[in-house]
């Protein structure tokens, strides 16, 4: 049985602990801040309550006061520290020195490519990124990104482990800035912010276009299958017919300069009354309900 | 009570007929192809069966052999002809001449801006685009796009009508190539095709990243609210902190040259066994189930 070490127990680390323990695996947790460890049991109890999890999950999660103790016997290390190259590099020097030689060392980083913090480590071959969407216990995707030094075996073990615990791994063949998910999100955000800042559509209208339009399909099939099903003559034919229009739209789309504070201000002003904390709880309830809906549908029809 | 004329009864026209009749409105249908009109009753019966609709819907939909008869007494004309500027222009000359003076003339066009086909028509002020996602009876968004000549009153009536029949109108303030939805889809498709063509990720991995990742949120909230809920310090602060990274990703993203037949071939080869027709039926069942799920959640918690 794979023993998991969770290094850093903020929002993402706690959710990872929940994912692995939910799948029956023993989870050992450490955080640099003792207060975070002190709250761990009550935070996990809240997650079990909110997500309707088995109370036995809590019994599989243990907090340890030192990094070395948390790593004892761990086969998989999931790191969730700050998105700072120097801090992460220093942490992985310790992880590589203290973890068992056969353990895989994975980072939840969304912003740092694995070569940045694993370059030249003795154990660089066992280092990789396993990037979740927050919170991973409610959203199953996890991007697996190797550095040039990462072994195929480490990637294989990563893919197998995440499938085993009910997540959906998406395996990259090589590292790329932003991985896949944030590259896709970035271009959509850029064009969204530009359309809103240019006054073409309201923030509400923009969100409705995704929420009540494109997002309806993307919740259960990806953009590639979406094309496939709109291409009775085959996808190359689709590209021949619609490619010129899509290319024209892409070439006239927003670039990086769309990310202005002024655009951010317009978005903020569109949600004047929002209690962010309450709405985050709403989002997590909706994610949980949607996950249950999609899992039930998938069992029935896929 | 608003009387609807559906001009062109292919996939989209039939679905529009269903939407308006489902809301209790009388619907008059014409198509240039008599065979399409002959099949209309059986096609509507199939939709009622598949979408679990009230059998009374069929009684509100009537086929007429001429354009003039279909337009008789119509307050709202929804056109669903070919995406060809010359054909559409000629059709709208007829619609503007034959329809009652107070009727609104809307096109379902996804590709042609309204000025292209309504420019200089005597009734240009009552012409606009009402662009759905296919099929509109399962996906509620409808983009409302005015030409420079469209009156505010026509846009107001459009918005009110679509809300009345249970769709979600997104109102553009001015015309723009691709409107909003296809501009957003285009940039996401371009980057997706590039990542797949470059071999960074498989077609399956790309689709999983949306389907089991970003699409989970976008099914019930838009990208702007997604930012808001990830910005405890406010959206301008979020832009200050993550804007430089997002701008870097956008500036290195695919442009129009990503729409190559070679990329299309890679997508096609990733779905070797797909029975497109059966999978389209699956998609529509999933859209219907998701719509029911989201409507039930919305009644509970929004």
């Amino acid at each position: 049985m794979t023993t998991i070490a969770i290094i850093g127990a903020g929002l993402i680390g706690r959710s990872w602990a929940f994912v692995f323990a939910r799948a029956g695996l023993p989870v050992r947790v450490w955080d640099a801040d003792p207060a975070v460890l002190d709250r761990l049991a009550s935070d996990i109890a809240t997650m079990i309550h909110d997500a309707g999890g088995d109370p036995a999950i809590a019994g599989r999660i243990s907090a340890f006061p030192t990094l070395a103790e948390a790593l004892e016997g761990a086969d998989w290390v999931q790191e969730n520290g700050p998105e700072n190259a120097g801090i992460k590099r220093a942490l992985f020097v310790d992880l590589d020195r203290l973890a068992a030689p056969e353990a895989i060392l994975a980072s939840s980083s969304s912003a740092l490519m694995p070569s940045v913090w694993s370059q030249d480590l003795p154990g660089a071959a066992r280092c990789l990124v396993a990037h979740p969407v927050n919170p991973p216990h409610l959203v199953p995707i996890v991007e697996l990104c190797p550095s040039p030094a990462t072994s195929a075996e480490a990637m294989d073990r990563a893919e197998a482990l995440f499938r085993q615990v009910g997540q959906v791994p998406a395996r990259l063949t090589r590292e790329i800035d932003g991985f896949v998910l944030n590259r896709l999100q970035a271009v959509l955000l850029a064009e969204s912010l530009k359309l809103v800042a240019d006054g073409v559509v309201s923030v509400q209208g923009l969100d409705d276009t995704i929420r009540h339009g494109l997002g309806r399909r993307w919740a259960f099939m990806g953009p590639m299958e979406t094309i496939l099903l709109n291409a009775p003559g085959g996808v190359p034919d689709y590209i021949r017919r619609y490619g010129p229009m899509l290319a024209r739209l892409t070439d006239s789309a927003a670039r990086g300069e769309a990310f202005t504070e002024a655009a951010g201000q317009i978005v903020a002003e569109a949600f004047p009354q929002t209690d962010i904390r309450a709405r985050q709880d709403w989002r997590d309830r909706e994610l949980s309900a949607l996950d249950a809906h999609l899992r039930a549908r998938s069992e029935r029809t896929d």
Side-chain angles (χ1 to χ4, degrees), chain A residues 10 59 62 94 128 146 218:
Chain A
S62 314
D94 287 345
L128 53 89
W218 291 340

Side-chain angles (χ1 to χ4, degrees), chain A residues 10-198:
Chain A
L11 266 177
I12 293 174
R14 286 201 299 278
S15 176
W16 273 132
F18 185 87
V19 164
F20 291 114
R22 180 175 62 186
L25 303 182
V27 178
R28 306 169 69 86
V29 180
W30 176 79
D31 195 284
D33 180 355
V36 168
L37 286 182
D38 287 345
R39 293 201 292 276
L40 181 65
S42 87
D43 285 339
I44 295 288
T46 301
M47 291 170 69
I48 291 171
H49 175 266
D50 290 350
D54 181 345
I57 289 170
R60 301 188 194 109
I61 300 174
S62 314
F64 292 90
T66 67
L67 182 59
E69 286 168 278
L71 294 172
E72 246 170 53
D75 309 290
W76 183 271
V77 179
Q78 185 76 37
E79 176 273 340
N80 317 281
E83 295 281 26
N84 173 292
I87 295 174
K88 207 168 284 285
R89 166 82 189 174
L91 185 51
F92 272 83
V93 167
D94 287 345
L95 294 175
D96 193 29
R97 184 170 51 81
L98 295 168
E102 70 282 4
I104 302 290
L105 311 181
S107 172
S108 299
S109 177
S110 67
L112 298 169
M113 289 194 279
S115 64
V116 169
W117 44 264
S118 68
Q119 189 91 35
D120 303 328
L121 281 184
R126 60 171 169 163
C127 292
L128 53 89
V129 160
H131 171 234
V133 168
N134 196 15
H137 73 285
L138 299 177
V139 183
I141 195 72
V142 51
E143 294 187 280
L144 303 179
C145 180
S147 84
T150 307
S151 71
E153 188 227 336
M155 291 292 282
D156 289 344
R157 283 178 57 195
E159 187 169 348
L161 175 67
F162 284 110
R163 287 205 193 282
Q164 178 196 334
V165 301
Q167 302 297 104
V168 177
R171 187 168 170 163
L172 279 65
T173 59
R174 59 177 187 271
E175 67 180 13
I176 182 172
D177 195 12
F179 315 131
V180 170
L181 187 142
N182 276 325
R183 295 190 70 80
L184 298 178
Q185 181 158 239
V187 292
L188 194 100
L189 285 179
E191 184 63 12
S192 296
L193 288 172
K194 180 164 194 292
L195 289 167
V196 162
D198 286 353

Side-chain angles (χ1 to χ4, degrees), chain A residues 197-279:
Chain A
D198 286 353
V200 170
V201 67
S202 69
V203 170
Q204 177 76 52
L206 189 292
D207 269 2
D208 282 344
T209 304
I210 294 291
R211 176 182 177 178
H212 297 289
L214 292 168
R216 292 291 181 102
R217 293 168 174 169
W218 291 340
F220 63 87
M221 61 181 190
M224 302 290 90
E225 187 170 10
T226 298
I227 287 183
L228 180 80
L229 300 185
N230 286 330
V235 183
D237 173 69
Y238 175 96
I239 300 275
R240 264 193 302 277
R241 296 210 286 169
Y242 301 109
M245 178 191 76
L246 293 165
R248 198 176 67 225
L249 300 180
T250 306
D251 285 336
S252 65
R255 311 240 57 190
E257 70 277 1
F259 295 96
T260 63
E261 284 188 47
Q265 194 60 43
I266 293 169
V267 176
E269 284 165 9
F271 299 98
Q273 304 295 331
T274 302
D275 175 342
I276 299 285
R277 186 60 192 275
R279 193 72 175 165

